[in-house]
Amino acid sequence: MKIAIIGAGNVACHLAQALASAGHQVKAIYSRTEQNRTALANILPHAHAIDSLNLQELDIDLVIIAVPDKALAIVAVQLQVQPNAIVAHTSGSQPMAALQKVAGARTGVFYPLQTFSKSKPVDFKQVPLLLEAQDMQTLSELEELAQTISEQVQTVDSSTRKQLHIAAVFACNFTNHLLGISRQLLQEASLPPQLLQPLIQETVAKAAQQHPFTVQTGPAARNDSNVIEEHLHMLEQHPGYQLLYKELTKSIQEAQLNE
Amino acid sequence: MKIAIIGAGNVACHLAQALASAGHQVKAIYSRTEQNRTALANILPHAHAIDSLNLQELDIDLVIIAVPDKALAIVAVQLQVQPNAIVAHTSGSQPMAALQKVAGARTGVFYPLQTFSKSKPVDFKQVPLLLEAQDMQTLSELEELAQTISEQVQTVDSSTRKQLHIAAVFACNFTNHLLGISRQLLQEASLPPQLLQPLIQETVAKAAQQHPFTVQTGPAARNDSNVIEEHLHMLEQHPGYQLLYKELTKSIQEAQLNE
């Protein structure tokens, strides 16, 4: 497949490299920023940096849009492709319909469910790729491509992808914030952040094996009100964390009542 | 060292086995429940199950109390040991002073910072062992023992251990609850729980390398109010989770202001 990538951020970089490594021709990289599009095009064997969203003169089968959610609508309006090309976005929260303004294209979604950093390599084979397409033929072309770079390919419609996105916010964005609070509290006690790593690893490993509600431990689960009161008192310097402590404790206790 | 263990729960089992494997003589196991003390004593080479907390007739150098926090005060009152024996508890939240009622004993804390399940083996070498003792001599005896089973031995006083315990509640107990909410939301969307595993693994791996506040992603971090509003709307069936979503979003945005 001859592919163009719109965007040169974290998702675009990891995806373009995974596709190129699997032998696909990533022929064009668009980004508004010259430096970014050139940097990414330069590390791919067949790619040119392009500065226009009119791709009608290029021989492209698939355009993958990997831009921030906010920029997706603008790209969809400006993008011009050859008739029958596939245009897919990579967003967890945007519906496939966000691409309906791309004239003449077949539309789809090519959503890699992972958090990417430029500095950290990712084993793409293990990244779930969630696909959606306007028709079966388009879906099967996207599937064939997806399976060359990932072992975890699934079809998920826009509404289910949204529910998955909320679940990911709780499991990842919110979890990351709690890990940040924990790290700050360790720092304030002059304790090294590595100290909690074995416990964090084990917590996550256990949660992968069993429903976390059934293995919940700690003062909230034991309803250990002395310890809870003492912790709330110790958090007086951090009223925001104190409030989170209260609400999370309440939520743990409510979840146990429903077990 | 000749050791007695008070308790036969998860901590007691893992600790007793780690000590026995390192060649120490775990000579006695006390539990109120006959079945539990016998079961643990039977899998240790030199141990007897005992049904009294009067250990004065036994030749014991160290008594490790691994009972629930609530039971610690009762055990401390009833326990009788030979003069100069060391008595240490394994609690993260209780001060060393909880043992001051044990007549004639030297007191200490021997706190393994890990979450233990009976069914899941743990590599004790990687479990941080946090020690405290009433005097330097006792501390050095506990340290010598601790280093035979763990590579992560540290001295931490009661007040610092309490701060560590709050940090662990955020990083582990609360994180586990968020993973549980996430799993429930996946179930409600008929999605398999494994789908989010690569993302969870990467989130935790990244948080171990950098301060989580500096790598925060998601709708809250991007202040993506359309997505936040939509998520809150989708959570209307779960008012408790909706409230947590609001408070965690607010806390993420406040943390970013302070960066």
Short mmCIF file of all heavy atoms in Angstrom, two decimals, chain B residues 77-99:
data_model
loop_
_atom_site.label_atom_id
_atom_site.label_comp_id
_atom_site.label_asym_id
_atom_site.label_seq_id
_atom_site.Cartn_x
_atom_site.Cartn_y
_atom_site.Cartn_z
N VAL B 77 -0.13 -6.98 74.19
CA VAL B 77 -0.43 -7.13 75.62
C VAL B 77 -0.21 -8.58 76.07
O VAL B 77 0.32 -8.83 77.15
CB VAL B 77 -1.89 -6.70 75.91
CG1 VAL B 77 -2.32 -7.11 77.31
CG2 VAL B 77 -2.04 -5.19 75.73
N GLN B 78 -0.61 -9.53 75.21
CA GLN B 78 -0.57 -10.93 75.64
C GLN B 78 0.79 -11.61 75.45
O GLN B 78 1.10 -12.60 76.11
CB GLN B 78 -1.64 -11.73 74.86
CG GLN B 78 -3.06 -11.23 75.18
CD GLN B 78 -4.12 -12.04 74.47
OE1 GLN B 78 -3.80 -12.87 73.61
NE2 GLN B 78 -5.37 -11.81 74.81
N LEU B 79 1.60 -11.07 74.55
CA LEU B 79 2.86 -11.74 74.20
C LEU B 79 3.85 -11.72 75.36
O LEU B 79 4.07 -10.70 75.99
CB LEU B 79 3.48 -11.03 72.98
CG LEU B 79 4.71 -11.65 72.35
CD1 LEU B 79 4.38 -13.02 71.75
CD2 LEU B 79 5.25 -10.73 71.25
N GLN B 80 4.44 -12.88 75.66
CA GLN B 80 5.50 -12.95 76.67
C GLN B 80 6.70 -13.64 76.06
O GLN B 80 6.58 -14.73 75.47
CB GLN B 80 5.00 -13.72 77.89
CG GLN B 80 3.92 -12.94 78.65
CD GLN B 80 3.43 -13.72 79.85
OE1 GLN B 80 2.64 -14.65 79.71
NE2 GLN B 80 3.93 -13.36 81.03
N VAL B 81 7.87 -13.00 76.21
CA VAL B 81 9.09 -13.53 75.57
C VAL B 81 10.22 -13.59 76.57
O VAL B 81 10.15 -12.99 77.64
CB VAL B 81 9.50 -12.64 74.37
CG1 VAL B 81 8.43 -12.65 73.29
CG2 VAL B 81 9.81 -11.23 74.82
N GLN B 82 11.28 -14.29 76.20
CA GLN B 82 12.48 -14.31 77.04
C GLN B 82 13.11 -12.92 77.07
O GLN B 82 13.03 -12.18 76.09
CB GLN B 82 13.48 -15.31 76.45
CG GLN B 82 13.04 -16.76 76.64
CD GLN B 82 14.12 -17.74 76.19
OE1 GLN B 82 14.89 -17.43 75.28
NE2 GLN B 82 14.16 -18.90 76.82
N PRO B 83 13.75 -12.56 78.18
CA PRO B 83 14.39 -11.24 78.26
C PRO B 83 15.37 -11.07 77.11
O PRO B 83 16.07 -12.02 76.73
CB PRO B 83 15.13 -11.27 79.60
CG PRO B 83 14.52 -12.37 80.38
CD PRO B 83 13.97 -13.35 79.40
N ASN B 84 15.36 -9.86 76.53
CA ASN B 84 16.32 -9.51 75.49
C ASN B 84 15.99 -10.05 74.09
O ASN B 84 16.71 -9.79 73.14
CB ASN B 84 17.74 -9.93 75.88
CG ASN B 84 18.74 -8.90 75.39
OD1 ASN B 84 18.44 -7.72 75.38
ND2 ASN B 84 19.89 -9.36 74.94
N ALA B 85 14.89 -10.80 73.97
CA ALA B 85 14.45 -11.21 72.63
C ALA B 85 14.00 -9.96 71.88
O ALA B 85 13.61 -8.96 72.49
CB ALA B 85 13.30 -12.21 72.71
N ILE B 86 14.10 -10.01 70.55
CA ILE B 86 13.59 -8.90 69.75
C ILE B 86 12.16 -9.21 69.33
O ILE B 86 11.86 -10.34 68.90
CB ILE B 86 14.44 -8.68 68.48
CG1 ILE B 86 15.91 -8.45 68.85
CG2 ILE B 86 13.90 -7.52 67.65
CD1 ILE B 86 16.83 -8.31 67.63
N VAL B 87 11.28 -8.21 69.46
CA VAL B 87 9.91 -8.33 68.97
C VAL B 87 9.69 -7.24 67.93
O VAL B 87 9.88 -6.06 68.23
CB VAL B 87 8.88 -8.19 70.11
CG1 VAL B 87 7.45 -8.22 69.55
CG2 VAL B 87 9.07 -9.29 71.14
N ALA B 88 9.33 -7.64 66.71
CA ALA B 88 9.14 -6.66 65.64
C ALA B 88 7.78 -6.88 64.99
O ALA B 88 7.33 -8.02 64.84
CB ALA B 88 10.24 -6.81 64.59
N HIS B 89 7.11 -5.77 64.61
CA HIS B 89 5.86 -5.95 63.86
C HIS B 89 6.11 -5.63 62.38
O HIS B 89 7.18 -5.12 62.01
CB HIS B 89 4.70 -5.15 64.46
CG HIS B 89 4.76 -3.67 64.26
ND1 HIS B 89 4.72 -3.07 63.03
CD2 HIS B 89 4.82 -2.65 65.17
CE1 HIS B 89 4.74 -1.76 63.17
NE2 HIS B 89 4.83 -1.48 64.46
N THR B 90 5.13 -5.94 61.54
CA THR B 90 5.31 -5.84 60.09
C THR B 90 4.34 -4.82 59.48
O THR B 90 4.05 -4.86 58.29
CB THR B 90 5.03 -7.21 59.43
OG1 THR B 90 3.72 -7.65 59.85
CG2 THR B 90 6.05 -8.25 59.83
N SER B 91 3.85 -3.88 60.31
CA SER B 91 2.80 -2.97 59.83
C SER B 91 3.36 -1.69 59.24
O SER B 91 4.30 -1.08 59.77
CB SER B 91 1.87 -2.64 61.00
OG SER B 91 1.09 -1.52 60.69
N GLY B 92 2.74 -1.23 58.15
CA GLY B 92 3.13 0.04 57.55
C GLY B 92 2.60 1.24 58.31
O GLY B 92 3.22 2.31 58.32
N SER B 93 1.48 1.08 58.99
CA SER B 93 0.84 2.26 59.57
C SER B 93 1.00 2.37 61.08
O SER B 93 0.72 3.41 61.66
CB SER B 93 -0.65 2.28 59.20
OG SER B 93 -1.29 1.15 59.74
N GLN B 94 1.44 1.30 61.75
CA GLN B 94 1.55 1.34 63.20
C GLN B 94 2.96 1.76 63.64
O GLN B 94 3.96 1.32 63.06
CB GLN B 94 1.24 -0.04 63.80
CG GLN B 94 -0.17 -0.52 63.51
CD GLN B 94 -1.22 0.43 64.03
OE1 GLN B 94 -1.20 0.80 65.21
NE2 GLN B 94 -2.12 0.87 63.16
N PRO B 95 3.04 2.60 64.67
CA PRO B 95 4.37 3.01 65.16
C PRO B 95 5.07 1.86 65.89
O PRO B 95 4.42 0.90 66.31
CB PRO B 95 4.05 4.15 66.13
CG PRO B 95 2.67 3.85 66.62
CD PRO B 95 1.95 3.19 65.46
N MET B 96 6.39 1.99 66.04
CA MET B 96 7.13 0.99 66.81
C MET B 96 6.61 0.96 68.25
O MET B 96 6.60 -0.10 68.90
CB MET B 96 8.63 1.34 66.80
CG MET B 96 9.48 0.32 67.52
SD MET B 96 11.23 0.54 67.18
CE MET B 96 11.53 2.16 67.86
N ALA B 97 6.14 2.11 68.74
CA ALA B 97 5.65 2.21 70.12
C ALA B 97 4.46 1.30 70.39
O ALA B 97 4.12 1.05 71.55
CB ALA B 97 5.29 3.66 70.43
N ALA B 98 3.83 0.80 69.33
CA ALA B 98 2.71 -0.15 69.54
C ALA B 98 3.18 -1.39 70.28
O ALA B 98 2.36 -2.15 70.80
CB ALA B 98 2.10 -0.53 68.19
N LEU B 99 4.51 -1.61 70.34
CA LEU B 99 5.05 -2.82 70.98
C LEU B 99 5.58 -2.55 72.39
O LEU B 99 6.14 -3.45 73.01
CB LEU B 99 6.17 -3.41 70.12
CG LEU B 99 5.76 -3.84 68.70
CD1 LEU B 99 6.98 -4.29 67.91
CD2 LEU B 99 4.73 -4.96 68.77
#
